[in-house]
Amino acid sequence: MSVSNELETTMIALFQTIDLALNLYTWVLIASAIFSWLYAFNVINSSNQFVNSVGMFLYNVTEPLLRPIRRLLPNLGGIDISPIILLLIIFFLRSLMWNTIFPLVA
């Protein structure tokens, strides 16, 4: 196998791994939004240790990327659209990666 083919195979694997990570983070964002709604409307038992563990995990994983977006957005009252903005950024990055950068590598 030539060096060119090895580099191409490595880049494809790297792109697929990045794409998988972005896809998983998308689902974590969706789960976090649903969890926050269930918590806000008192659908789930907030005193349950497992529920608190899941909530803290989702908060700790999503908050570092959502906080800077919230600082840039105007105050919309009780509506938080920062997860939607972050999802749009993730979809843009995935599209940019596969439609612009990947064809140059392959």
Side-chain angles (χ1 to χ4, degrees):
M1 189 186 277
S2 71
V3 174
S4 172
N5 287 341
E6 288 179 16
L7 179 62
E8 183 178 319
T9 304
T10 304
M11 290 302 293
I12 291 171
L14 177 65
F15 277 24
Q16 288 174 339
T17 304
I18 292 170
D19 188 54
L20 176 64
L22 290 172
N23 191 22
L24 288 173
Y25 198 77
T26 298
W27 287 107
V28 169
L29 273 172
I30 292 169
S32 178
I34 292 171
F35 184 88
S36 71
W37 295 336
L38 294 174
Y39 191 85
F41 293 118
N42 212 15
V43 174
I44 53 177
N45 185 2
S46 59
S47 62
N48 186 326
Q49 185 178 1
F50 177 74
V51 171
N52 277 335
S53 297
V54 170
M56 286 305 298
F57 169 76
L58 292 173
Y59 178 81
N60 289 334
V61 170
T62 58
E63 190 61 22
L65 291 178
L66 292 174
R67 189 178 310 120
I69 295 171
R70 286 190 188 115
R71 273 190 251 132
L72 294 174
L73 292 175
N75 187 4
L76 299 174
I79 300 173
D80 181 18
I81 62 168
S82 59
I84 296 170
I85 302 295
L86 186 54
L87 285 173
L88 289 173
I89 292 169
I90 289 172
F91 291 146
F92 172 77
L93 289 174
R94 289 179 73 194
S95 178
L96 178 73
M97 184 175 67
W98 288 113
N99 296 326
T100 306
I101 302 170
F102 182 72
L104 296 175
V105 174

